[in-house]
Amino acid sequence: LARAYVRLGKYKEAVDVARKASNVKTWKEVNQACVEANEWRLAEVAGTHILKSPDHVDDLVAFYESRGHFAELIQL
């Protein structure tokens, strides 16, 4: 459902659904979509949940770095 909301451009709803799913894969998809759409507040919410899983931190950092969003990564 989160993926459907992302495709519809409803990022807030995608974050709400990701909260209910409580799944790192879902959070990563929502975070990446929010970053691509420059929805930084929502990307930060999703990113915070990803940071709780140490196995996925490197992927998160690489994603932000590959797009040149260093300041946003530091803020996260």
Side-chain angles (χ1 to χ4, degrees):
L1 186 57
R3 185 179 294 162
Y5 278 128
V6 163
R7 290 186 184 189
L8 292 171
K10 296 185 176 197
Y11 302 105
K12 183 186 178 317
E13 289 83 352
V15 168
D16 292 340
V17 170
R19 274 192 186 102
K20 293 176 185 171
S22 189
N23 180 308
V24 176
K25 181 180 176 188
T26 304
W27 281 118
K28 285 174 73 173
E29 289 180 22
V30 171
N31 173 264
Q32 290 175 357
C34 290
V35 167
E36 293 294 333
N38 293 321
E39 292 284 345
W40 298 113
R41 185 182 59 78
L42 296 173
E44 187 174 337
V45 170
T48 302
H49 288 278
I50 298 168
L51 290 175
K52 294 176 185 176
S53 291
D55 296 342
H56 299 280
V57 173
D58 289 340
D59 294 338
L60 179 71
V61 170
F63 180 77
Y64 275 74
E65 286 180 344
S66 70
R67 280 147 181 83
H69 299 303
F70 301 103
E72 290 82 2
L73 177 60
I74 291 168
Q75 184 174 346
L76 177 62

